[in-house]
Amino acid sequence: MSALAVTGLAVAGAPDVPDTAQATDAVHLADAATDHTCRTDGSAPGSERRSPEGHDGELTPEQAADHQAQLEEALGTDRGRQIAPPQSVPVVVHVVSAEDGEGDVGRERVEQQIQVLNDAYRGVYASGEEATDTGFGFELTEVTRHSDDAWFHEFSSNRDTIRAELHQGGPETLNIYTADLGSGVLGFSTFPQDVESSPEQDGVVVSYDTLPGGSRENFDLGHTTTHEVGHWLGLFHTFQNGCESPGDYVDDTPYEREAANGCPVGRDTCTGRPGEDPVNNFMNYTDDACMTHFTPGQAERMVQHWAGFREPRV
């Protein structure tokens, strides 16, 4: 297996923004800590990914361009400095369960989830050129447990309160919350751009049954967390902006018109663009077993977001 480790990236200047993005007025999210909700259970191919508020949770082209502008501004202070992923990202997992014990995932499954994260971000699930080692590693530092029926069954309605009470650490600490998110939502995440305005809301939320060994069919290997942590580190979906430039702002992920369900290997929804759809990419909507890798470009983008928004300042 060959792997590409992304370390020691030199930031000579802010990354270029395609002309289409530069010409678009920046539109800030209505709520700075608006969660990016994604991935249903895939029971209906092409089914919509609905957030708890009833909108689809996707970023508009204007919102994505605004995120890019914020990244450029954040990296402006890092010109000429060598940047690299952290040796280890501290992780705090908050297990929210029902009072009858439903959802009280054990320590072993939590540790298995952290192992899945480490394997995914080191390129273990792919081979050859696709086996990209992003350089990111994750270390479980604490597991907290909270038994509350309202919090467990209605997490989305109480999420601001829950996260404000339970959140630990600074921008460099990954807070993961597990609960019952209902049948249509697998997880949601904040972006690095949100952390300054709403630090107590920063983190990733996943349905408890998506952890390794869970009961969510096709989504029981732990890659819902892999996917949401990708957002937490700044990545868009591979199908961001569809077939239109600048896509997901990553040069080595082929354009994709819409999310993929199942594992439609060989699908090509942007025939005027090079490459088949990146259905095996962790930032798609395919089944866990279909997901295998990030690209070097995605690894670089995650490092840029870490340097711009999450790296502790000395």
Side-chain angles (χ1 to χ4, degrees):
M1 177 184 298
S2 65
L4 173 64
V6 180
T7 58
L9 296 174
V11 179
D16 293 333
V17 180
D19 292 340
T20 54
Q22 291 176 337
T24 304
D25 292 333
V27 177
H28 290 274
L29 298 177
D31 177 354
T34 296
D35 293 288
H36 190 63
T37 306
C38 42
R39 305 186 67 201
T40 63
D41 58 14
S43 57
S47 58
E48 295 178 332
R49 277 80 180 163
R50 294 290 183 185
S51 78
E53 292 81 8
H55 58 76
D56 62 11
E58 302 299 335
L59 292 183
T60 66
E62 292 79 15
Q63 289 170 334
D66 182 51
H67 275 221
Q68 177 69 13
Q70 291 180 59
L71 174 62
E72 290 189 13
E73 181 178 1
L75 287 178
T77 60
D78 288 320
R79 289 175 180 167
R81 184 172 70 87
Q82 293 288 320
I83 62 174
Q87 292 184 344
S88 181
V89 176
V91 183
V92 179
V93 176
H94 307 282
V95 177
V96 179
S97 62
E99 293 169 13
D100 64 2
E102 182 183 2
D104 189 19
V105 295
R107 174 86 183 195
E108 182 179 359
R109 284 182 61 198
V110 172
E111 292 177 346
Q112 289 174 344
Q113 178 63 78
I114 302 304
Q115 186 61 55
V116 167
L117 275 180
N118 280 310
D119 288 346
Y121 282 78
R122 290 170 182 161
V124 171
Y125 295 103
S127 60
E129 294 182 354
E130 289 187 344
T132 300
D133 182 352
T134 69
F136 283 89
F138 303 88
E139 180 180 2
L140 181 64
T141 60
E142 186 174 354
V143 178
T144 71
R145 296 185 181 277
H146 312 273
S147 177
D148 186 298
D149 283 345
W151 280 19
F152 177 68
H153 292 295
E154 301 173 22
F155 188 98
S156 297
S157 298
N158 296 284
R159 57 185 175 177
D160 290 355
T161 298
I162 296 170
R163 292 185 297 196
E165 290 191 18
L166 302 185
H167 186 275
Q168 294 187 27
E172 76 287 348
T173 300
L174 171 59
N175 282 256
I176 299 176
Y177 305 82
T178 69
D180 178 14
L181 303 183
S183 61
V185 177
L186 298 181
F188 51 87
S189 174
T190 55
F191 279 96
Q193 286 83 346
D194 302 325
V195 71
E196 182 176 359
S197 61
S198 301
E200 77 286 351
Q201 298 298 321
D202 184 52
V204 163
V205 182
V206 296
S207 185
Y208 77 95
D209 54 3
T210 66
L211 270 64
S215 59
R216 187 67 71 99
E217 185 178 1
N218 298 323
F219 300 98
D220 57 356
L221 301 180
H223 288 320
T224 291
T225 302
T226 302
H227 176 105
E228 299 303 339
V229 172
H231 289 313
W232 187 78
L233 290 171
L235 295 183
F236 298 137
H237 289 136
T238 53
F239 47 89
Q240 177 68 45
N241 290 317
C243 300
E244 300 300 319
S245 178
D248 65 349
Y249 291 84
V250 178
D251 289 340
D252 59 4
T253 57
Y255 283 81
E256 185 176 27
R257 183 177 302 280
E258 58 194 10
N261 292 285
C263 193
V265 175
R267 190 181 80 158
D268 187 1
T269 57
C270 295
T271 55
R273 300 282 189 176
E276 297 177 343
D277 292 357
V279 299
N280 299 123
N281 195 283
F282 285 123
M283 299 313 295
N284 213 317
Y285 272 176
T286 46
D287 294 350
D288 277 14
C290 188
M291 292 182 161
T292 60
H293 68 282
F294 294 107
T295 67
Q298 287 175 315
E300 181 178 1
R301 188 168 179 82
M302 287 189 281
V303 172
Q304 290 173 343
H305 277 83
W306 182 266
F309 300 101
R310 298 200 177 280
E311 185 176 55
R313 302 299 183 184
V314 180

